[in-house]
Amino acid sequence: MYTQALNSSEGEDRNVEDAARAAQFQARIDAEERIEPNDWMPAAYRKTLTRQISQHAHSEIVGMLPEGNWITRAPSLRRKAALLAKVQDECGHGLYLYAAAETLGTSREELVDLMLAGKAKYSSIFNYPTLTWADIGTIGWLVDGAAIMNQIPLCRCSYGPYARAMIRVCKEESFHQRQGFEIMLTLCRGTDEQKAMAQDALNRWWWPVLMMFGPPDQASQHSDTSTKWKIKRFSNDELRQKFVDATVPQAQYLGLTIPDPGMKQNEAGNWEYSAIDWEEFKQVLAGNGPCNRDRLAARRKAHEDGAWVREAAMAYAEKRRQRSALQAAE
Amino acid sequence: MTVANIQVSETPLVLYTLRRADDALILGHRLSEWCGHAPMMEEDMALANMGLDLLGQARELYSYAAKVEGRDNDEDKFAYLRDVRQYRNLLLLEQPNGDFARTMVRQFFYATFADLYWRAMMRSTDATLAAIAAKSEKESAYHVRHTSEWIVRLGDGTEESHARAQSAIDELWAFTGEMFAVDDSERGLIDAGIAIDPATLHPQWLKTVTGVVGEATLALPKNDWMQQGGRSGRHSEHLGHLLGELQSMPRTFPGATW
């Protein structure tokens, strides 16, 4: 569904790279050329992208869990089918993204193992629980809305396979976002209980959604290289502001109140929001969010429970290979 | 505002249509329980796909049942406001997912039947049912292909997968007979050319199932005792729990629109 502040790179590795090739590489980036899998690239570029794309893929897969939590309880058959299709789309996004990451030389299995071992991150937003049906509307409206803000610029990312995957992902995300808004609109036009459910969901999700854009610019350590490599085109705060400015009128249209009494519009027309509680963000990243343990446990269980199935598929494929080799020899 | 169960006028055509709609909804719901928890991502996609096909079939069938019944029921009232005793699905389809082998065997038994059934129903004299059948047959054909491949992989895979697949067959076999049973209510529709007689499909079904099970180095049980009751609302204990979850929202917030 979404990648957050994954724009960090490991230390400089320029000393081991050929300076002339690095200069040529940078010239291609500056000329807005796409870098393809077989092209030469600095090791740090490869590493940064592998991490960013795989964290994005993990987010899609872990992101299936909070929404999947409501598939069996969706309140109408139309909503049930739409939600199942949506969560299936997230799985599809995970698949293309792992495939894009694999073009950089690390297999899906290795990447997934890192996530299951708790060594790779996924978006912090999925460590919050979906308590009511309104959470499903809110995730579509705000979480997917924030994801789109982040991902539209990634369609122009310098790495070709990632950029192309993002084009397709963005199309589907904007559909999900409209679907989420429509769920909210239905709730807000419904009974008092439904409207209260919508407001409660907004209250719980608003601040975690703002955190999705990552730490404030002055605290963000590694944006420079990512910007230079045209992986990242806007800063965290720029994207966050764009998101807030787009969302405030939508909340007004719904008749919902953004849980930030200090929020005001400045002369330039931007909505200024109050200070974000970065301590909460830090805690969630450190594994102390409300659902971190449940999410990892659910992924590990699916992986472990499915091991015998994957082994059977491999064993059968091997038997078939041997049989056809035998037939060919006869 | 009420959460009471709806009343349904179960004329033969309404009952017939609800039975097939309930089949599709209950199995679709079971498949949707896998979402996010499948053994591999490709299979997460495939299970959701099959679930979505079935939910789509259910919605069309419920809408048609509502039209035929001509009261103020609709797809959601049929799905959300009938209790266990009013549900008409096959017992096979409400059985819990169990492990992946159990889910695949359940799907394989049903899809192999549904594919033959809907293909034959394309000749129904009822134009709506014939149209639903044409769409459902295409979908079922894919479900047969997908599940057959898995039955073979699991049966002829590892010792463990073989044992799990065989156990799934042994546990679910007794629920397959109900697919071919016909009661008086349905007999009239068969005579009128609106429905087809599922018993006529049994030889072909058995042939396909035996073929795949044999290729998978698995065996069908010798015990031919068959459980029945789903079509008249005598279900296993599992269905009540499924409905408790499925219906929780409309039961908790009566009269709300979602």
Side-chain angles (χ1 to χ4, degrees):
Chain A
M1 177 172 295
Y2 157 72
T3 164
Q4 135 207 307
L6 305 169
N7 48 316
S8 49
S9 68
E10 293 290 315
E12 297 294 304
D13 61 347
R14 214 51 45 84
N15 51 346
V16 295
E17 307 288 1
D18 174 341
R21 283 174 130 182
Q24 211 174 26
F25 173 83
Q26 189 60 47
R28 289 187 63 197
I29 301 249
D30 293 343
E32 295 286 335
E33 279 181 44
R34 289 281 168 276
I35 306 302
E36 296 298 335
N38 291 328
D39 296 348
W40 185 88
M41 62 187 84
Y45 178 84
R46 186 183 299 277
K47 195 169 175 180
T48 297
L49 272 167
T50 301
R51 191 180 46 226
Q52 174 163 340
I53 300 172
S54 62
Q55 289 183 359
H56 191 165
H58 303 328
S59 302
E60 299 283 355
I61 299 302
V62 177
M64 294 171 73
L65 298 170
E67 292 183 277
N69 182 39
W70 277 89
I71 293 171
T72 55
R73 290 178 293 165
S76 72
L77 294 184
R78 180 171 81 93
R79 295 294 186 201
K80 190 182 188 70
L83 183 58
L84 178 56
K86 183 194 172 184
V87 181
Q88 186 195 34
D89 282 349
E90 312 297 356
C91 186
H93 298 171
L95 272 170
Y96 336 131
L97 286 163
Y98 282 121
E102 283 190 320
T103 64
L104 291 159
T106 312
S107 72
R108 192 215 293 185
E109 287 70 23
E110 289 172 82
L111 296 169
V112 168
D113 285 347
L114 284 173
M115 188 257 284
L116 295 175
K119 290 179 185 159
K121 289 198 164 51
Y122 55 86
S123 179
S124 60
I125 196 76
F126 301 120
N127 291 314
Y128 290 86
T130 51
L131 301 179
T132 71
W133 173 250
D135 292 30
I136 299 305
T138 306
I139 288 181
W141 172 37
L142 297 182
V143 175
D144 292 338
I148 294 165
M149 283 295 170
N150 263 303
Q151 290 171 0
I152 294 278
L154 286 172
C155 298
R156 294 186 293 131
C157 161
S158 59
Y159 189 56
Y162 193 28
R164 289 188 288 273
M166 291 321 300
I167 291 171
R168 181 159 173 193
V169 168
C170 281
K171 280 186 189 152
E172 294 182 351
E173 293 295 6
S174 63
F175 179 69
H176 297 164
Q177 201 261 347
R178 287 198 297 274
Q179 232 171 29
F181 186 78
E182 200 256 324
I183 290 176
M184 295 306 276
L185 192 59
T186 307
L187 293 175
C188 290
R189 289 178 177 171
T191 63
D192 290 348
E193 229 172 350
Q194 285 175 300
K195 193 162 181 188
M197 192 189 274
Q199 182 64 53
D200 169 63
L202 175 59
N203 294 348
R204 283 181 287 111
W205 289 92
W206 175 253
W207 293 106
V209 165
L210 292 194
M211 294 172 198
M212 284 174 67
F213 295 92
D217 293 350
Q218 75 262 25
S220 185
Q221 309 154 24
H222 300 298
S223 288
D224 290 356
T225 6
S226 280
T227 305
K228 193 179 79 184
W229 283 334
K230 298 198 174 160
I231 296 170
K232 190 174 180 65
R233 290 179 184 263
F234 297 99
S235 77
N236 294 350
D237 285 335
E238 282 168 346
L239 290 167
R240 191 166 14 243
Q241 188 62 54
K242 271 172 84 156
F243 172 78
V244 171
D245 291 341
T247 305
V248 170
Q250 292 169 3
Q252 287 170 342
Y253 183 81
L254 290 170
L256 295 176
T257 306
I258 289 180
D260 180 359
M263 182 180 257
K264 58 180 189 299
Q265 199 169 21
N266 65 21
E267 281 174 12
N270 299 121
W271 287 93
E272 291 176 3
Y273 46 89
S274 305
I276 294 172
D277 176 8
W278 292 110
E279 181 55 26
E280 175 179 329
F281 182 67
K282 214 172 90 187
Q283 287 301 327
V284 176
L285 284 191
N288 297 324
C291 297
N292 294 58
R293 285 173 181 79
D294 289 343
R295 299 296 182 236
L296 259 190
R299 287 313 309 158
R300 283 179 186 146
K301 182 171 188 322
H303 191 75
E304 284 160 18
D305 289 354
W308 69 270
V309 179
R310 297 190 299 274
E311 282 159 20
M314 303 270 277
Y316 176 72
E318 178 57 21
K319 280 185 197 176
R320 269 187 70 137
R321 195 189 60 75
Q322 284 178 7
R323 281 174 205 151
S324 58
L326 210 63
Q327 270 174 357
E330 275 169 8
Chain B
M1 293 218 299
T2 173
V3 281
N5 296 318
I6 56 165
Q7 299 293 313
V8 183
S9 314
E10 287 187 337
T11 60
L13 185 54
V14 170
L15 177 59
Y16 171 88
T17 310
L18 283 178
R19 284 171 171 174
R20 272 76 206 170
D22 290 347
D23 284 350
L25 175 63
I26 297 303
L27 185 57
H29 181 97
R30 281 293 188 216
L31 291 175
S32 81
E33 292 172 356
W34 273 102
C35 191
H37 308 280
M40 60 196 81
M41 286 168 228
E42 287 80 357
E43 209 41 45
D44 230 316
M45 304 280 288
L47 291 164
N49 244 337
M50 293 192 286
L52 282 166
D53 287 345
L54 290 160
L55 287 177
Q57 292 171 18
R59 294 184 62 194
E60 289 178 358
L61 288 159
Y62 283 133
S63 297
Y64 185 53
K67 193 176 153 206
V68 173
E69 192 196 19
R71 294 164 62 142
D72 68 343
N73 287 326
D74 58 30
E75 58 173 39
D76 286 329
K77 287 186 184 167
F78 283 133
Y80 290 93
L81 298 177
R82 283 179 304 146
D83 74 5
V84 172
R85 299 283 287 116
Q86 294 174 292
Y87 259 76
R88 302 290 179 229
N89 59 283
L90 297 165
L91 296 174
L92 174 68
L93 308 179
E94 71 199 39
Q95 298 309 305
N97 286 339
D99 62 10
F100 184 72
R102 189 76 68 101
T103 291
M104 277 297 134
V105 169
R106 184 185 64 199
Q107 196 73 23
F108 169 66
F109 282 158
Y110 176 71
T112 310
F113 166 77
D115 187 42
L116 295 169
Y117 188 81
W118 291 123
R119 196 179 310 155
M121 276 297 290
M122 287 162 67
R123 298 191 305 272
S124 167
T125 56
D126 181 306
T128 307
L129 290 176
I132 293 173
K135 179 171 168 284
S136 305
E137 190 278 328
K138 282 197 198 91
E139 294 166 347
S140 310
Y142 161 75
H143 303 179
V144 172
R145 198 163 66 239
H146 187 75
T147 55
S148 302
E149 286 170 5
W150 270 113
I151 301 303
V152 174
R153 268 184 219 121
L154 296 180
D156 195 16
T158 63
E159 213 172 295
E160 180 178 6
S161 67
H162 179 93
R164 286 175 183 265
Q166 187 59 58
S167 147
I169 290 173
D170 295 345
E171 294 298 322
L172 294 173
W173 182 246
F175 299 112
T176 57
E178 197 180 24
M179 297 191 288
F180 304 96
V182 169
D183 63 5
D184 291 343
S185 165
E186 217 158 297
R187 181 61 61 195
L189 297 175
I190 294 169
D191 294 342
I194 292 169
I196 60 108
D197 185 349
T200 60
L201 307 174
H202 189 261
Q204 182 58 46
W205 178 83
L206 191 61
K207 193 176 157 207
T208 306
V209 167
T210 308
V212 172
V213 166
E215 192 189 339
T217 71
L218 297 162
L220 294 179
K222 295 274 183 285
N223 183 354
D224 271 344
W225 171 255
M226 291 292 161
Q227 296 293 348
Q228 295 200 24
R231 291 296 190 219
S232 52
R234 292 193 311 278
H235 290 277
S236 64
E237 291 176 350
H238 304 297
L239 185 64
H241 296 277
L242 185 157
L243 294 181
E245 194 171 338
L246 174 95
Q247 299 180 338
S248 59
M249 289 293 287
R251 298 282 192 187
T252 310
F253 300 95
T257 303
W258 303 96

